[in-house]
Amino acid sequence: MPLISPTAASGDRVRCHIGLSYDHTRRWRSVWAALLAMTAMVAYGCFGPGEPVGPGAAAAEEATKGVLPGLRLPWPAEGQASVLVDGLGSLGGLGRQEPVPIASLAKVMTAYVLLKGHPLARDEPGRAIEVDKTAAYESVSGTETAAPVRAGQRLSQRKLLELMLLPSANNIARFLARWDSGSQKAFVQKMNRAATDLGMKNTIYTGAGGIETTTESTADDQLKLAQEAMKDRTFRSIVAQRSTTVPGSPDPIRNTNELLGSDGVIGLKTGTTTPAGGNLLWATKVRAGGKERLVLGAVLHQRADTSPMEASEAAQDASRSLIRAVRQGLPAALTEGESRT
């Protein structure tokens, strides 16, 4: 019989069971076994049955309640998360609001700045922009997410925004930054000024695409941006698209957000690298309190330092759980809150 048999994996609640033989003919072996068992318990962090251990427990202890304390949400076991109802307020959050890499969530700010400087009506394609050699070369580099474009190809502003936001093309993000400001460095200054204006005090942008690990933010800050970005009808319509196309390319290019089209989800943006882990900004519609409400959420730093596939799945799974809990619980929580006032 093992001395220690944890009933759950690290990061979950663990109970430690001690199995000792009290055969009097082997008394000293039992004493040594007891000592070893206690040592193992310390190593596992299991003193006190049912005590939470690991990074998930630390995050869970930092969960905060929002404007509807009766609504309990299934916060992820690690990283950061935050949820709010537009026009109502925060539904709470989890994890210390300390800056972490956000990967391609940076492209939400890139799109926000571009649409502020070059606004489009919802169905307007915008001006035709000629693709430069750098964007074309980077589209076949194979080292990062990119969209297939050719030097000299003319694509509309909207089409380029679609290519940046849906498949998360870094080459297009940097190209649009150069088109807008002459250089990515100059455009990043605009991004950081916009972050300051939005009150994103724990955010720094160092690139238009987000591949740099030095681009950092928090869940709360990303929701401040998401609220403003979703006010733009063009942005809102683009992030709701499941796919787009590139002239000359036969295959559709799919949106990396696999939650679209289910549970009322209408956006928003994925972001995954090994250092940043899985990140997802999401938007869903919920009928509650007699009207349709926009609910926004941010899930950051899921399964960092693992494979991008594992990290992305973790972020989407955590987001799906939050979305379903909000859709199920928000109507009743609002009714209960109104009855108390």
Side-chain angles (χ1 to χ4, degrees), residues 309-326:
M309 180 177 294
E310 181 178 348
S312 177
E313 287 179 354
Q316 301 213 37
D317 287 346
S319 297
R320 186 181 293 107
S321 295
L322 286 168
I323 290 166
R324 289 178 176 175
V326 170

Side-chain angles (χ1 to χ4, degrees), residues 3-16:
L3 297 177
I4 299 293
S5 56
T7 61
S10 176
D12 296 328
R13 287 186 177 271
V14 175
R15 294 183 182 272
C16 298

Side-chain angles (χ1 to χ4, degrees), residues 50-69:
E51 288 299 316
V53 298
E61 291 175 355
E62 294 161 12
T64 59
K65 295 181 179 180
V67 294
L68 298 172

Side-chain angles (χ1 to χ4, degrees), residues 49-329:
E51 288 299 316
V53 298
E61 291 175 355
E62 294 161 12
T64 59
K65 295 181 179 180
V67 294
L68 298 172
L71 179 61
R72 295 190 175 186
L73 298 180
W75 300 110
E78 60 182 311
Q80 294 179 30
S82 190
V83 178
L84 65 80
V85 181
D86 192 35
L88 180 63
S90 171
L91 297 183
L94 176 136
R96 294 186 180 93
Q97 293 297 308
E98 297 176 350
V100 293
I102 59 170
S104 287
L105 297 194
K107 295 183 177 77
V108 177
M109 179 60 85
T110 300
Y112 175 78
V113 171
L114 285 165
L115 287 168
K116 282 292 184 182
H118 312 275
L120 296 174
R122 181 173 181 175
D123 298 320
E124 181 187 358
R127 61 180 292 186
I129 304 170
E130 185 174 314
V131 176
D132 65 15
K133 292 181 179 179
T134 301
Y137 171 76
E138 291 175 348
S139 71
V140 295
S141 67
T143 59
E144 58 183 333
T145 307
V149 292
R150 304 183 308 274
Q153 188 176 20
R154 296 181 67 81
L155 298 173
S156 70
Q157 179 185 339
R158 182 187 172 102
K159 178 63 67 177
L160 290 165
L161 286 169
E162 291 174 0
L163 294 176
M164 179 183 73
L165 290 168
L166 273 60
S168 204
N170 286 323
N171 63 326
I172 303 302
R174 291 189 291 266
F175 168 60
L176 285 171
R178 293 192 298 272
W179 168 72
D180 175 87
S181 301
S183 70
Q184 182 178 211
K185 181 178 180 180
F187 185 81
V188 167
Q189 292 176 351
K190 287 186 177 182
M191 296 172 73
N192 285 313
R193 285 198 296 270
T196 298
D197 292 343
L198 292 175
M200 300 167 67
K201 298 179 180 180
N202 294 306
T203 298
I204 182 70
Y205 293 99
T206 58
I211 195 170
E212 305 84 1
T213 59
T214 47
T215 289
E216 296 182 327
S217 188
T218 65
D220 284 352
D221 272 8
Q222 287 300 297
L223 288 188
K224 292 176 182 178
L225 171 60
Q227 274 190 292
E228 292 303 312
M230 289 296 280
K231 292 177 182 178
D232 188 288
R233 294 183 64 188
T234 297
F235 177 87
R236 190 165 176 158
S237 66
I238 289 174
V239 296
Q241 290 181 216
R242 296 195 186 186
S243 65
T244 188
T245 58
V246 181
S249 181
D251 299 321
I253 299 175
R254 295 190 61 80
N255 195 323
T256 55
N257 184 359
E258 297 178 3
L259 302 187
L260 275 178
S262 61
D263 299 311
V265 175
I266 58 171
L268 219 148
K269 184 73 188 75
T270 64
T272 307
T273 63
T274 295
N279 303 272
L280 182 60
L281 266 177
W282 49 264
T284 186
K285 292 180 179 179
V286 180
R287 187 77 183 176
K291 63 180 180 179
E292 190 173 70
R293 299 177 184 271
L294 176 66
V295 182
L296 300 167
V299 173
L300 307 184
H301 216 51
Q302 301 298 296
R303 303 296 295 157
D305 299 320
T306 64
S307 72
M309 180 177 294
E310 181 178 348
S312 177
E313 287 179 354
Q316 301 213 37
D317 287 346
S319 297
R320 186 181 293 107
S321 295
L322 286 168
I323 290 166
R324 289 178 176 175
V326 170
R327 288 174 61 80
Q328 181 177 357

